């Protein structure tokens, strides 16, 4: 594989190790991640953890063939009560975290931030008439990457290796990561040829040598890093998927949510002028429904 030093930031680069059949993705995020994290006044440990969750969502969604959204949601009993990151099949990313006032400023582990909790993995294709699939694993390990590895080991039984880095240099957030997996081929046959454990161990040793600086870039280029790591494994890269920040909120979506409440609950939400305002947790945009619009929604609720 030759490197052209031209892979842009905010992309996912699929690759395959031809010698063993292992597959993976290399992801780098810059402006997209910075926009997600800078929309809210997150303490740095919260922003860094949410950045890791966004990186995981972007990297793992890239392997799936779906029409909808792939989401990761953390729910905990600690200072950070919830984190959500999702990625659509078109590469549109968003993320959000909810936290209390007592976030430890020096927190470095997911346990310190979230305490006891769970990580939910959801593939939602309901908008196009498809199924919604979900898996759940307890928060175990120092990082969200550790928790995700536990999910693949216990729930999916897919051998997976991951390295991620998230940093705020020069006032802007960026992230990078590489995922390598032994994924089944069509028909369920294991990818690793001859079930050679040495191949898997060698790939993990090589992955373990990647540095945060290489993951984050912008130099060296993604393809240069992959070639440095896996040239003896005959790495082959595929076209990149562009990634971008975006939100799917709309007045219609919030109106649909209001219709899910009872008339009494709708009345409790009204402001003194009988209007209702709703703010999107992801992008902070506020939607205001005038009194007559709320009346129309209530009429729909009653019927």
């Amino acid at each position: 594989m030759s490197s052209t030093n031209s892979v842009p930031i905010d992309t996912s680069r699929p690759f395959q190790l031809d010698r063993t059949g292992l597959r993976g993705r290399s992801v780098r995020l810059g402006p997209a991640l910075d926009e997600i994290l800078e929309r809210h006044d997150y303490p740095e440990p919260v922003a860094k953890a949410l950045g890791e969750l966004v990186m995981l969502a972007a990297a793992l969604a890239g392997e799936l063939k779906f029409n909808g959204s792939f989401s990761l949601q953390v729910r905990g009993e600690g200072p950070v009560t919830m984190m959500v990151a999702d990625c659509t099949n078109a590469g549109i990313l968003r993320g959000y975290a909810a936290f209390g006032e007592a976030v430890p400023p020096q927190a470095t582990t997911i346990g310190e931030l979230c305490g006891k909790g769970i990580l939910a993995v959801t593939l939602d294709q309901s908008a196009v008439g498809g199924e919604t699939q979900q898996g759940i694993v307890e928060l175990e390990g120092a990082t969200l990457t550790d928790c995700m590895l536990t999910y693949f080991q216990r729930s999916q039984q897919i051998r997976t290796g991951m390295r991620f880095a998230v940093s705020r240099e020069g006032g802007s957030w960026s992230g990078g990561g590489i995922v390598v997996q032994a994924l089944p081929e069509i028909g369920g046959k294991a990818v690793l040829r001859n079930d050679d454990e040495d191949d898997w161990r060698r790939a993990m040793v090589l992955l373990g040598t990647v540095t945060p600086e290489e993951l984050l870039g912008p130099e060296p280029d993604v393809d240069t890093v992959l070639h440095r790591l896996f040239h003896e494994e005959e790495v082959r890269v595929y076209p990149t998927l562009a990634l971008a920040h975006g939100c799917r909120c709309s007045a219609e979506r919030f109106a649909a949510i209001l219709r899910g409440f009872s008339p009494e609950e709708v009345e409790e939400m009204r402001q003194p002028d009988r209007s209702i305002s709703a703010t999107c947790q992801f992008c902070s945009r506020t939607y205001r429904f005038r009194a007559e619009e709320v009346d129309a929604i209530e009429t729909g609720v009653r019927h």
Side-chain angles (χ1 to χ4, degrees):
M1 180 196 77
S2 63
S3 174
T4 61
N5 291 319
S6 61
V7 180
I9 303 299
D10 289 343
T11 54
S12 173
R13 170 72 103 181
F15 65 87
Q16 179 169 305
L17 308 183
D18 283 345
R19 200 184 67 79
T20 59
L22 295 170
R23 304 205 302 265
R25 277 84 56 215
S26 179
V27 175
R28 278 188 182 172
L29 291 177
L33 184 63
D34 190 61
E35 190 168 358
I36 290 170
L37 299 182
E38 288 299 318
R39 283 181 173 270
H40 302 273
D41 188 22
Y42 295 127
E44 185 145 332
V46 178
K48 195 165 187 178
L50 179 58
E52 183 182 4
L53 195 68
V54 172
M55 291 297 307
L56 282 163
L60 297 174
E63 178 56 38
L64 302 171
K65 292 179 173 60
F66 66 103
N67 190 350
S69 66
F70 173 82
S71 68
L72 301 174
Q73 183 178 119
V74 174
R75 295 194 293 272
E77 300 176 358
V80 178
T81 56
M82 184 181 71
M83 288 190 290
V84 182
D86 65 38
C87 182
T88 71
N89 57 289
I92 304 302
L93 293 162
R94 63 180 184 173
Y96 170 74
F99 60 95
E101 298 297 325
V103 175
Q106 304 302 320
T108 58
T109 69
I110 195 63
E112 291 173 309
L113 288 173
C114 298
K116 184 178 179 181
I118 62 168
L119 169 63
V121 182
T122 305
L123 182 63
D124 185 359
Q125 302 185 90
S126 59
V128 294
E131 295 182 347
T132 297
Q133 301 171 332
Q134 186 175 78
I136 295 175
V137 66
E138 292 184 358
L139 294 178
E140 295 181 6
T143 67
L144 290 169
T145 300
D146 293 336
C147 300
M148 201 72 236
L149 288 171
T150 298
Y151 168 79
F152 279 114
Q153 179 183 2
R154 294 181 182 175
S155 301
Q156 300 296 309
Q157 296 170 352
I158 295 174
R159 281 181 288 189
T160 303
M162 303 182 193
R163 291 293 300 275
F164 287 96
V166 175
S167 179
R168 190 181 193 181
E169 298 292 337
S172 297
W173 287 97
S174 62
I178 297 176
V179 177
V180 177
Q181 292 182 303
L183 293 164
E185 295 175 339
I186 295 173
K189 182 181 178 181
V191 150
L192 279 179
R193 294 162 189 169
N194 302 318
D195 198 26
D196 192 345
E197 292 294 331
D198 289 340
D199 288 338
W200 177 253
R201 285 194 291 267
R202 183 172 57 253
M204 292 302 97
V205 169
L206 293 171
L207 179 61
T209 67
V210 71
T211 67
E213 291 74 21
E214 287 178 309
L215 291 173
L216 291 168
E219 298 293 341
D221 182 79
V222 165
D223 287 359
T224 300
V225 174
L226 290 176
H227 180 72
R228 198 276 291 175
L229 292 173
F230 301 122
H231 64 279
E232 292 185 356
E233 309 303 299
E234 302 172 17
V235 60
R236 184 197 330 178
V237 298
Y238 295 94
T240 59
L241 170 68
L243 302 169
H245 169 258
C247 194
R248 301 189 298 279
C249 68
S250 66
E252 291 76 17
R253 283 179 179 267
F254 277 109
I257 292 172
L258 286 175
R259 292 187 191 99
F261 291 101
S262 68
E264 293 75 20
E265 290 170 324
V266 172
E267 283 299 310
E268 290 178 2
M269 296 179 200
R270 286 183 185 263
Q271 298 172 1
D273 63 356
R274 305 285 294 163
S275 68
I276 289 179
S277 294
T279 300
C280 176
Q281 294 177 322
F282 288 97
C283 69
S284 299
R285 181 177 178 180
T286 297
Y287 296 87
R288 181 176 179 273
F289 298 90
R290 299 187 303 273
E292 58 270 24
E293 293 173 319
V294 179
D295 292 341
I297 290 172
E298 277 198 302
T299 300
V301 169
R302 294 190 187 100
H303 293 286

